[in-house]
Amino acid sequence: MGFARACSVALVGVEGVVVEVQADLEPGVAAFTLVGLPDKTLVESRDRVRAAVVNSGAAWPQKKLTVGLSPASVPKAGAGFDLAVAIAVLGAAEVVDPGAIADLVLIGELGLDGRVRPVRGILPAVLAAAEAGHRQVVVPQQCAAEAALVPDVSVLGVRSLRQLIAVLTDGVVPEEEPPDPPGRPDPILAGLLVPGAGLGTGLAPGRPGGDCADFPDLADVTGQHTARRALEVAAAGGHHLFLSGPPGAGKTMLAERLPWILPPLSRQDSVEVTAVHSVAGILPPGEPLVSRPPYCAPHHSATMQSLVGGGTGVPRPGAVSLAHRGILFLDEAAEFHSRALDALRQPLESGHVVIARAAGVVRLPARFLMVLAANPCPCGRHTLHGSGCECPPSVIRRYQARLSGPLLDRVDLRVEVEPVSRGDLLGQGGRGESTAVVADRVRAARERAAIRFAGTPWRLNSELPGPELRTRWQAVPGALAQAERELERGLLTARGLDRVLRVAWTVADLRGRDRPEAPDVAVALELRTGVARGAVSMTGAGA
């Protein structure tokens, strides 16, 4: 009789649970039983592990073998348990020392030839292991850099089961040569990507080089001074933005440049974003840490599950989680299904999404900046003078009603994007400010907010609760008079008034003021209601 145990990690959303992999050998007819609520992929590990052990030069025990995954009540999915199962079996057969592997956390898929293939979710899995007190983990070599992001954890990256056996038995570690000719991509890296997810999903458009020159520049946008200012306010305070205007006015160009005026992610935010992308299988190989705010732009045919997360079995992150700490851009927003759009209301308020499925309940992070872009009518020419829009008024009303009132009430900034004039298009008005100039003002405004919110759970003006706005951080006396009149006339809701005040604080931060004044509130009202008041500066934040 032989017994050994090792450890691995089961992921439920982006949270991990340490699983004890127990292997028991008893006399009897040779058989391999796997228990502990495994899914189909994990059940198939019996054949993968057996072939990998034999092809790695070790003898497969010809006894009754039972492998248990504890706790048995937690669903286990995926092939990431292969390595732990193989080592536990070899420990029970005394090929390796059972005592040396008892607290060792092993994560990785095994090929039939014994190679260790990378799996998704390495970072959240190692984080869960570290929180449980484990300090030694074994992962595929291709994922070692991702696992090393977790402090105080010793990471061993291996390319094959043979190498791991040699390390555990103090033998000579063999060199594993890539099976393909040089210059060809490593097929093992395919384990890092979800088929159909699309390479680059959730990443900002353009990749900055060493000189930060290869990214969309805000100076390329001609005209659109009010929309550019709204973009700056949205970036500085984390406010949601709605761009409405005819086709070709530059709505998509503006949205694609928003990620690059946001400051780089902090270390904590980078780890959160990387964990979500790792679980989703869209973490680019060779880039273990996401340092820039993500950018996710799903197609308007996206389902509610693809937006908020879901799927069969254990729920997977949706677009709102892939855009965590970044931008969620919904182009042609009126073409999205109304149920899918209304499903965004809860994560917009709470910063997370809770998904309940038969396999369990998953809580996923979803603190994002939402940008909506839509045409004013199906043909897009409703707001153009003399454009010949032939859409009946009833069709226009139905089209605009696809964006529900409760959803738009959660959007702080609403801007009418006007068609580009001939003078702006031909460059007669000069180029606008570059991304670098605007990004410097955004960074300075966020630093002012960070100093103000020091010692509180909030970091951005958009996160500040209404009671705090009205008691702890008040505007200059009399500054809200115009906004209060709008509330009494029914043009603003109570939530809308709070959001106007949040935007006013952001405008004050951009202008270097300690408290919002009446001109700052007027800017916030214009950007909130879309009613021109002559308040939005056309010459930058300092005016």
Side-chain angles (χ1 to χ4, degrees), residues 511-531:
R511 289 174 166 172
R513 294 172 177 166
D514 294 332
R515 298 169 66 185
E517 300 178 2
D520 304 321
V521 177
V523 171
L525 275 172
E526 180 172 340
L527 294 176
R528 168 75 181 181
T529 62
V531 178

Side-chain angles (χ1 to χ4, degrees), residues 143-507:
C143 302
E146 182 182 345
L149 297 174
V150 182
D152 302 325
V153 173
S154 175
V155 178
L156 173 63
V158 295
R159 290 192 67 94
S160 69
L161 183 59
R162 283 183 293 270
Q163 288 184 335
L164 181 55
I165 293 174
V167 171
L168 294 175
T169 58
D170 296 327
V172 178
V173 179
E175 291 290 338
E176 296 292 344
E177 296 294 334
D180 297 294
R184 292 185 58 185
D186 191 345
I188 290 183
L189 293 178
L192 292 174
L193 299 176
V194 176
L199 184 61
T201 302
L203 300 178
R207 306 296 297 170
D211 57 355
C212 295
D214 185 21
F215 59 82
D217 194 347
L218 197 58
D220 297 335
V221 180
T222 58
Q224 306 303 353
H225 305 292
T226 301
R228 289 168 59 97
R229 180 63 190 280
L231 210 69
E232 181 178 342
V233 173
H239 305 287
H240 306 305
L241 173 63
F242 176 38
L243 300 173
S244 176
K251 301 186 295 294
T252 302
M253 285 186 66
L254 288 163
E256 288 180 347
R257 282 147 180 79
L258 181 55
W260 300 105
I261 65 176
L262 294 175
L265 297 174
S266 66
R267 173 73 179 190
Q268 179 182 353
D269 291 345
S270 293
V271 171
E272 291 179 5
V273 173
T274 302
V276 175
H277 285 213
S278 179
V279 170
I282 60 173
L283 193 64
E287 297 185 20
L289 187 65
V290 178
S291 60
R292 294 292 313 177
Y295 174 90
C296 191
H299 191 260
H300 62 259
S301 62
T303 63
M304 183 170 62
Q305 288 74 19
S306 66
L307 283 180
V308 301
T312 58
V314 179
R316 293 288 183 181
V320 296
S321 297
L322 298 180
H324 179 59
R325 300 298 179 187
I327 310 298
L328 176 65
F329 176 47
L330 303 183
D331 200 5
E332 304 294 344
E335 301 294 342
F336 281 79
H337 196 282
S338 58
R339 288 187 59 208
L341 290 176
D342 286 337
L344 301 176
R345 287 151 55 179
Q346 185 263 339
L348 284 174
E349 288 288 338
S350 63
H352 65 268
V353 59
V354 178
I355 306 171
R357 293 292 185 270
V361 178
V362 174
R363 184 180 186 272
L364 299 170
R367 175 90 46 197
F368 56 90
L369 194 163
M370 182 179 68
V371 179
L372 302 173
N375 297 328
C377 68
C379 75
R381 300 191 297 270
H382 174 60
T383 57
L384 300 179
H385 298 291
S387 61
C389 174
E390 298 180 354
C391 299
S394 59
V395 173
I396 296 175
R397 286 195 300 269
R398 284 197 300 268
Y399 186 81
Q400 295 178 350
R402 293 181 181 180
L403 299 177
S404 66
L407 176 64
L408 290 180
D409 199 35
R410 290 166 168 81
V411 178
D412 300 347
L413 312 174
R414 307 173 190 177
V415 177
E416 291 286 341
V417 182
E418 300 293 338
V420 181
S421 66
R422 183 180 64 178
D424 288 332
L425 192 60
L426 297 179
Q428 297 176 5
R431 286 170 60 87
E433 292 178 316
S434 66
T435 295
V437 173
V438 177
D440 287 340
R441 285 203 300 266
V442 170
R443 182 170 55 253
R446 288 204 172 195
E447 288 173 354
R448 291 180 64 87
I451 294 174
R452 184 167 64 249
F453 297 145
T456 70
W458 312 294
R459 292 185 291 178
L460 299 175
N461 292 320
S462 60
E463 301 173 1
L464 200 60
E468 298 290 337
L469 283 167
R470 293 186 291 271
T471 57
R472 187 171 177 181
W473 286 290
Q474 297 181 351
V476 172
L480 291 176
Q482 189 174 8
E484 291 170 353
R485 287 195 296 269
E486 300 282 354
L487 178 65
E488 293 175 354
R489 295 169 56 191
L491 300 179
L492 278 180
T493 63
R495 180 193 288 124
L497 180 62
D498 287 343
R499 293 185 177 275
V500 166
L501 189 51
R502 293 187 185 110
V503 174
W505 269 105
T506 301
V507 175

